[in-house]
Amino acid sequence: MMTTREGTTSEGTTLEGFTSDPGEMKKAFSGFPSGVAALSARVHGDPTVMIVSSFAVGVSYNPPMVSFAAQHSSTTWPVLSRAQAIGISVLGEGHSDKARQLASRSKAGRFADLRTVEAASGAMFLEGAPVWLECTVEHNYPAGDHDIIVLRVLAMMADDDRNPLVWHRQTLKLLGS
């Protein structure tokens, strides 16, 4: 394929329709599958959790780091960011019916009927997750209406027999093997 100076490929595809409309961009971005994770910890005695669909691994392997984006309007992240350590549970097939509950605005019922495991650091993990990561906050970078949070992975556990969920086109979907 060759592109001409006028923005047309040799196959006739053009740049007509390019847009910077935020609604159209949000719709286009939803077409890119992303990992979904629960970030949770006990903060000042209270279990705290937030769901992120911007979770990314492989930011660094040495030292190991992961990232996610937190909206400036989040009321949970300012609390969770004060935790000694944060548990990341990649959501798996057994969590599809609990994801909305975990993300609920009603913080009191987020952990209802969920089994968790708590580390000595206060990091909390959801049972049945394909991956658990115990992390600390390493960096926080402003990015428009979000902050990009980079977390250092202190310890991890993976269960290759469990399949993760992904967020794709505004829907949770099971990622099969």
Side-chain angles (χ1 to χ4, degrees):
M1 175 188 339
M2 187 161 184
T3 304
T4 66
R5 291 180 54 197
E6 293 80 33
T8 304
T9 66
S10 59
E11 297 170 355
T13 306
T14 69
L15 297 178
E16 187 176 325
F18 259 35
T19 181
S20 60
D21 176 72
E24 289 296 316
M25 282 193 195
K26 187 174 182 178
K27 182 179 173 186
F29 291 169
S30 78
F32 182 78
S34 60
V36 183
L39 281 64
S40 53
R42 189 166 298 276
V43 183
H44 303 300
D46 296 322
T48 305
V49 63
M50 70 184 282
I51 298 295
V52 298
S53 61
S54 56
F55 180 65
V57 299
V59 172
S60 171
Y61 292 108
N62 188 16
M65 294 185 189
V66 297
S67 69
F68 73 97
Q71 285 185 322
H72 290 164
S73 61
S74 171
T75 58
T76 304
W77 176 242
V79 175
L80 195 57
S81 68
R82 294 192 300 264
Q84 175 185 341
I86 298 169
I88 298 179
S89 301
V90 173
L91 296 190
E93 53 196 317
H95 301 118
S96 59
D97 61 335
K98 296 293 185 181
R100 294 212 187 275
Q101 171 186 320
L102 286 162
S104 169
R105 293 211 182 270
S106 170
K107 296 177 183 180
R110 289 182 179 175
F111 284 101
D113 300 323
L114 285 170
R115 296 177 60 149
T116 60
V117 175
E118 187 171 338
S121 65
M124 296 176 66
F125 305 95
L126 300 179
E127 284 193 6
V131 177
W132 285 351
L133 305 169
E134 183 179 20
C135 301
T136 56
V137 177
E138 186 78 12
H139 300 288
N140 183 341
Y141 301 106
D145 60 356
H146 285 68
D147 286 330
I148 297 171
I149 313 299
V150 178
L151 302 171
R152 181 184 291 251
V153 178
L154 306 175
M156 59 82 59
M157 188 169 71
D159 183 347
D160 292 339
D161 292 330
R162 297 185 188 273
N163 290 319
L165 293 175
V166 295
W167 184 247
H168 180 244
R169 302 216 186 276
Q170 307 292 315
T171 305
L172 283 172
K173 298 179 179 177
L174 182 62
L175 185 62
S177 51

Coordinates of all heavy atoms in Angstrom, one line a residue, residues 8 47 56 58-59 62 74 79 87 90 95 112-113 131 138 149 162 168:
T8 N -4.5 9.9 0.3 CA -5.3 8.8 -0.3 C -4.3 7.6 -0.5 O -3.2 7.8 -1.1 CB -5.9 9.2 -1.6 OG1 -6.7 10.4 -1.4 CG2 -6.8 8.1 -2.2
P47 N -12.5 -1.7 53.9 CA -12.2 -2.3 52.6 C -12.6 -1.3 51.5 O -13.7 -0.7 51.5 CB -13.0 -3.5 52.5 CG -14.1 -3.4 53.5 CD -13.6 -2.4 54.5
A56 N -3.1 -1.8 32.3 CA -2.0 -2.3 31.4 C -0.9 -2.9 32.1 O -0.4 -2.4 33.1 CB -1.6 -1.1 30.5
G58 N 3.2 -4.7 31.6 CA 4.4 -4.6 30.8 C 4.9 -3.2 30.7 O 5.7 -2.9 29.8
V59 N 4.5 -2.3 31.6 CA 5.1 -1.0 31.6 C 6.6 -1.1 31.8 O 7.4 -0.4 31.1 CB 4.4 -0.1 32.7 CG1 5.2 1.2 32.9 CG2 3.0 0.1 32.4
N62 N 11.7 -4.8 34.6 CA 12.7 -4.7 35.6 C 13.0 -3.3 36.0 O 13.6 -2.5 35.3 CB 14.0 -5.3 35.1 CG 15.1 -5.5 36.1 OD1 14.8 -5.4 37.3 ND2 16.3 -5.6 35.7
S74 N -12.9 10.7 40.2 CA -13.0 9.5 41.1 C -13.0 10.0 42.6 O -12.1 10.7 43.0 CB -11.9 8.6 40.8 OG -11.9 7.5 41.8
V79 N -8.8 7.9 48.1 CA -8.7 7.1 49.3 C -7.7 5.9 49.1 O -6.8 5.7 49.9 CB -10.1 6.6 49.7 CG1 -10.1 5.6 50.9 CG2 -11.1 7.8 50.0
G87 N -3.9 -4.3 46.2 CA -4.1 -5.6 45.5 C -4.8 -5.4 44.2 O -5.8 -4.7 44.1
V90 N -7.1 -9.2 38.5 CA -7.6 -9.2 37.1 C -8.9 -9.9 37.1 O -9.0 -11.1 37.6 CB -6.6 -9.8 36.1 CG1 -7.2 -10.0 34.7 CG2 -5.3 -9.0 36.1
H95 N -16.3 -13.4 37.8 CA -16.6 -12.0 38.3 C -17.6 -11.3 37.4 O -17.9 -10.1 37.7 CB -15.3 -11.2 38.4 CG -14.4 -11.9 39.4 ND1 -13.1 -12.3 39.0 CD2 -14.5 -12.2 40.7 CE1 -12.5 -12.8 40.0 NE2 -13.3 -12.8 41.1
A112 N -20.2 -7.1 48.9 CA -21.2 -8.0 49.4 C -21.1 -9.3 48.6 O -21.0 -9.4 47.4 CB -22.6 -7.4 49.2
D113 N -21.2 -10.4 49.3 CA -21.1 -11.8 48.8 C -19.9 -12.1 48.0 O -19.9 -13.0 47.1 CB -22.4 -12.1 47.9 CG -23.7 -11.9 48.7 OD1 -23.7 -12.3 49.9 OD2 -24.7 -11.4 48.2
V131 N -5.2 -13.4 37.9 CA -3.9 -12.8 38.3 C -4.1 -12.0 39.5 O -5.1 -11.2 39.6 CB -3.3 -12.0 37.1 CG1 -2.0 -11.3 37.6 CG2 -3.1 -12.8 35.9
E138 N 4.1 4.0 42.4 CA 5.4 4.5 42.0 C 5.4 5.9 41.4 O 6.3 6.7 41.7 CB 6.0 3.5 41.0 CG 7.4 3.7 40.6 CD 8.4 3.2 41.6 OE1 8.1 2.5 42.6 OE2 9.6 3.6 41.5
I149 N -1.5 6.3 36.5 CA -0.8 5.8 37.7 C 0.0 4.6 37.4 O -0.5 3.7 36.8 CB -1.9 5.4 38.8 CG1 -3.0 6.5 38.9 CG2 -1.3 5.0 40.1 CD1 -2.6 7.8 39.4
R162 N -7.7 -20.1 34.7 CA -8.8 -19.1 34.8 C -8.6 -18.1 33.6 O -7.5 -17.6 33.4 CB -8.8 -18.4 36.1 CG -9.0 -19.3 37.3 CD -9.1 -18.5 38.6 NE -9.2 -19.3 39.7 CZ -10.2 -19.9 40.2 NH1 -11.4 -19.6 39.7 NH2 -10.2 -20.6 41.3
H168 N -14.9 -4.5 26.1 CA -14.9 -4.2 24.7 C -16.3 -3.8 24.2 O -17.3 -4.4 24.5 CB -14.5 -5.5 23.9 CG -14.5 -5.4 22.4 ND1 -15.3 -6.1 21.6 CD2 -13.7 -4.7 21.6 CE1 -15.1 -5.8 20.4 NE2 -14.1 -4.9 20.4

